[in-house]
Amino acid sequence: MRVYKPEWRCTFSVYEGMEETSGWRERLAWFIRSLADRLDGSGRTIKIDYDVTPHINREEVDNCLGKGFAVTQSLLTQLAHQAACENVMREAKAELFEEHPQR
């Protein structure tokens, strides 16, 4: 009887800036990215590196990244909602947030 064993590998990295060991091409690329961020005035530039074996086509990768960013947007919305509720509570019931409550 033959035993089949699926094999795969996936690495995924997100970078927000160049590493100290970066070569001149990567340094130039990050300089252009930072320039674009300054011109836009908002947002954040990241670089995503991935290596998947067996090969997955670009459309499938883009679909996965889109779903991941949708989850990120949902989580950020929840955090913003929680912060807004806390701000209202701090204003309405400041005594609940005092460091050393009076007894």
Side-chain angles (χ1 to χ4, degrees):
M1 174 191 234
R2 185 168 184 194
V3 176
Y4 294 92
K5 180 182 173 193
E7 295 183 19
W8 67 94
R9 185 183 77 237
C10 178
T11 59
F12 185 85
S13 302
V14 178
Y15 301 96
E16 294 185 81
M18 70 182 144
E19 298 177 8
E20 291 181 18
T21 59
S22 300
W24 71 269
R25 289 180 189 198
E26 189 170 344
R27 289 180 189 277
L28 178 60
W30 278 108
F31 173 76
I32 293 170
R33 289 180 184 112
S34 68
L35 181 61
D37 284 347
R38 282 183 282 184
L39 288 172
D40 286 346
S42 65
R44 189 175 189 167
T45 296
I46 59 173
K47 180 183 176 208
I48 299 171
D49 284 334
Y50 62 90
D51 182 21
V52 180
T53 303
H55 177 76
I56 296 175
N57 69 43
R58 177 77 181 244
E59 184 178 310
E60 290 173 311
V61 171
D62 292 347
N63 187 31
C64 289
L65 290 173
K67 288 179 180 181
F69 285 117
V71 170
T72 301
Q73 194 272 335
S74 174
L75 292 171
L76 287 172
T77 300
Q78 288 177 21
L79 285 173
H81 180 245
Q82 290 170 0
C85 290
E86 184 176 320
N87 288 342
V88 168
M89 286 299 296
R90 283 183 184 277
E91 188 175 319
K93 294 287 186 179
E95 66 273 8
L96 296 175
F97 295 90
E98 289 179 2
E99 292 284 330
H100 306 287
Q102 305 285 330
R103 289 188 189 198

